């Protein structure tokens, strides 16, 4: 097993550099944008642009890779990501940033897909679970490290933009110098909403709602913190804390969901997140310690919901449809991520900074209502037929290639999936 990890070490290192840059880039823009008096709606559209670009990258990059190859494509996309963060430093304006952010999401999606497909190619059936877990850990640590870079006191206004560009460039080196065999062509996922809803109504609806919350908080959490007067280092700690809270509790909640109806655990998380959101609206905390502590609890409740939703959907999914269903869930998550920042930005402008948590509370209440309704319509599957819980990334950086890397994928799933458009299959 150690030999397998050594074989993919360069790919994991490249992914770590990419995610460090991505974590820094994603947190830096709303913080800097707020200091340049971008409106909350404009800051929300940064997240919308990223999500739209990310989805477009997942759908459009595979033909490019097939035409020019993995190494060239990855180098080009990581270079584009570095260019975008430097353009953010040179051209400061809300609408230019929204366009640049979409290009950044497009490049990031393609680069991440290539690394994941490469890992998938190098993994064996025996090592797939270990490599998948290590990849998740690397992703979490790298994204958190990227966010925590903002605790550094910058020597000049462009410091973090330059550091982000350096890490994007560093991400090119391990794959460019790797001797690993070039992987098979990338897979794309069909977005077949009717099929997904037929398999798992809770999976389809809740995954979209989780995307609403993830997009809103990931984009506008720093804006909320800025508006209540927290310094930049505290904002970085707050956002990293939410990610940490979600990551640490994911596996205990997953184990619990293996012992009972997963929907009950999902309800508990949604209820906890709703209560925390309402509490934030009522007490309106302003001290750094209290805000950070509450946000960590919020992350612990909301971030594991995606993994729980995927696990629930997999309980009803045939083995040969795992990638198809997982890819559809990912794309629904991405679509929710597009709309979440827009609606949450309106809530913040209408109801002050706590409007962000009013929005998340409303979404989680909708989750509670729908899951409760579905529990009365469909029984829990027998434990013997259920999939064992596996953690999923809590960041907004998973692609359909990560579903192929997941050890639940079968050999049939690893065949190339024909490229389809976003429209449901007839």
């Amino acid at each position: 097993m150690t030999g397998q990890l050594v074989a993919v070490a360069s790919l994991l290192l490249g992914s770590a550099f990419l995610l460090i840059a991505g974590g820094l880039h994603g947190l830096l823009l709303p913080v800097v944008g707020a200091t340049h008096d971008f409106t909350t709606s404009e800051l929300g559209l940064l997240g919308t642009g990223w999500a739209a670009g990310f989805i477009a990258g997942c759908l459009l990059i595979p033909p490019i890779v097939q035409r020019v190859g993995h190494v060239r494509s990855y180098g080009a996309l990581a270079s584009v990501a570095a260019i975008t963060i430097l353009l953010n430093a040179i051209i400061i304006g809300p609408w230019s940033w929204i366009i640049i952010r979409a290009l950044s999401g497009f490049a990031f999606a393609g680069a991440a897909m290539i690394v994941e497909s490469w890992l998938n190619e190098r993994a064996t059936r025996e090592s797939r679970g270990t490599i998948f877990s290590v990849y998740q850990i690397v992703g979490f640590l790298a994204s958190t490290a990227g966010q925590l870079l903002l605790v550094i006191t910058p020597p000049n206004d462009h410091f973090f933009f330059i550091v982000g560009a350096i890490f994007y460039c560093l991400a090119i080196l391990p794959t460019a110098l790797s001797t690993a065999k070039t992987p098979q062509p990338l897979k794309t996922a069909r977005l077949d909403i009717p099929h997904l809803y037929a398999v798992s109504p809770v999976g389809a609806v809740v995954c979209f709602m989780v995307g609403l919350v993830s997009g809103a908080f990931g984009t506008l959490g720093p804006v909320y913190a800025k508006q209540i007067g927290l310094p930049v280092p505290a904002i970085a700690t707050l956002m990293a804390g939410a990610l940490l809270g979600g990551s640490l509790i994911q596996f205990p909640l997953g184990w619990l969901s293996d012992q009972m109806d997963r929907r009950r655990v999902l309800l508990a998380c949604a209820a906890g997140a709703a209560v925390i959101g309402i509490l934030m609206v009522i007490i309106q905390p302003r001290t750094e310690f209290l805000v950070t502590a509450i946000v960590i609890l919020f992350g612990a409740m909301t971030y594991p919901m995606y993994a729980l939703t995927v696990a629930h959907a997999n309980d009803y999914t045939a083995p040969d449809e795992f990638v198809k269903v997982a890819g559809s869930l990912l794309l629904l998550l991405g679509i929710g991520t597009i709309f979440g920042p827009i609606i949450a930005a309106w809530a913040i402008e209408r109801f002050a900074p706590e409007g962000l948590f009013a929005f998340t509370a409303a979404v989680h209440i909708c989750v509670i209502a729908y899951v409760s309704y579905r529990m009365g319509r469909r029984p829990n599957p027998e434990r013997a037929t259920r999939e064992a819980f596996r953690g999923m990334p809590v960041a907004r950086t998973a692609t359909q290639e990560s579903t192929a890397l997941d050890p639940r994928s079968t050999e049939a799933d690893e065949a190339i999936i024909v490229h389809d458009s976003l429209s449901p299959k007839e």
Side-chain angles (χ1 to χ4, degrees):
M1 189 61 65
T2 302
Q4 289 285 334
L5 290 176
V6 171
V8 298
S10 62
L11 302 177
L12 292 172
L13 181 60
S15 179
F17 287 141
L18 186 73
L19 290 167
I20 289 172
L24 173 61
H25 197 178
L27 184 54
L28 179 63
L29 293 188
V31 171
V32 175
T35 63
H36 284 86
D37 298 322
F38 289 14
T39 68
T40 305
S41 294
E42 291 165 346
L43 293 171
L45 286 173
L46 291 177
T48 297
W50 159 266
F54 194 91
I55 291 176
C58 289
L59 295 172
L60 300 177
I61 289 297
I64 297 174
V65 176
Q66 291 171 7
R67 186 162 58 248
V68 303
H70 288 73
V71 176
R72 290 179 179 176
S73 297
Y74 182 83
L77 291 167
S79 297
V80 169
I83 291 169
T84 61
I85 194 172
L86 292 175
L87 284 175
N88 288 139
I90 298 170
I91 307 171
I92 299 178
W95 294 106
S96 60
W97 272 23
I98 292 166
I99 296 171
I100 293 169
R101 191 62 176 145
L103 180 60
S104 174
F106 181 87
F108 196 99
M113 287 173 67
I114 291 170
V115 170
E116 290 165 3
S117 68
W118 216 322
L119 288 171
N120 185 49
E121 186 79 9
R122 298 293 291 174
T124 63
R125 181 170 295 278
E126 293 75 20
S127 66
R128 191 176 303 278
T130 300
I131 291 176
F132 183 71
S133 298
V134 172
Y135 176 66
Q136 286 190 72
I137 293 170
V138 168
F140 160 68
L141 293 176
S143 297
T144 305
Q147 292 178 335
L148 289 177
L149 284 174
L150 281 181
V151 304
I152 301 171
T153 301
N156 56 65
D157 293 341
H158 291 165
F159 174 77
F160 289 121
F161 293 98
I162 296 171
V163 169
I166 289 172
F167 276 106
Y168 277 131
C169 292
L170 285 174
I172 302 173
L173 299 181
T175 51
L177 300 175
S178 174
T179 59
K181 180 182 176 182
T182 301
Q184 295 297 317
L186 295 174
K187 304 172 179 64
T188 57
R190 285 194 297 263
L191 180 57
D192 191 345
I193 294 178
H195 174 76
L196 175 60
Y197 187 82
V199 170
S200 176
V202 166
V205 173
V206 175
C207 206
F208 172 75
M209 293 185 181
V210 169
L212 291 175
V213 173
S214 174
F217 183 75
T219 302
L220 297 173
V223 177
Y224 158 79
K226 186 76 173 176
Q227 289 189 4
I228 66 172
L230 295 187
V232 172
I235 295 174
T237 303
L238 179 144
M239 296 302 293
L243 188 61
L244 176 64
S247 298
L248 292 180
I249 203 171
Q250 184 174 142
F251 283 97
L253 288 177
W255 175 86
L256 183 63
S257 76
D258 284 340
Q259 314 306 313
M260 57 191 298
D261 191 335
R262 298 194 204 277
R263 293 171 295 186
R264 294 186 182 277
V265 182
L266 196 58
L267 280 176
C269 288
V275 169
I276 292 170
I278 294 170
L279 186 65
M280 292 288 277
V281 173
I282 294 173
I283 68 175
Q284 299 186 2
R286 291 295 183 267
T287 62
E288 179 181 329
F289 175 80
L290 182 58
V291 171
T292 302
I294 295 176
V295 166
I296 290 174
L297 292 176
F298 176 79
M301 292 293 99
T302 193
Y303 278 131
M305 288 177 62
Y306 171 62
L308 291 169
T309 303
V310 171
H312 172 74
N314 288 338
D315 289 339
Y316 298 94
T317 301
D320 61 346
E321 292 188 332
F322 170 76
V323 169
K324 179 179 179 181
V325 168
S328 297
L329 289 169
L330 274 173
L331 288 171
L332 277 179
L333 180 79
I335 292 171
T337 304
I338 290 176
F339 293 103
I342 298 175
I343 304 171
W346 173 85
I348 290 175
E349 291 180 336
R350 185 74 177 256
F351 303 109
E354 283 72 25
L356 171 62
F357 290 98
F359 168 72
T360 62
V363 174
H364 286 121
I365 290 171
C366 291
V367 170
I368 294 169
Y370 186 75
V371 174
S372 299
Y373 163 73
R374 287 301 309 174
M375 287 179 69
R377 304 276 296 181
R378 190 180 201 180
N380 191 41
E382 296 293 332
R383 183 174 298 183
T385 64
R386 297 171 68 197
E387 288 278 354
F389 176 85
R390 289 187 183 274
M392 296 295 290
V394 296
R396 297 175 294 162
T397 56
T399 75
Q400 56 263 36
E401 289 297 323
S402 63
T403 67
L405 181 61
D406 191 314
R408 287 168 291 192
S409 298
T410 63
E411 291 297 329
D413 288 324
E414 293 170 14
I416 301 171
I417 300 175
V418 177
H419 303 157
D420 281 349
S421 65
L422 277 173
S423 59
K425 183 180 179 183
E426 295 294 332

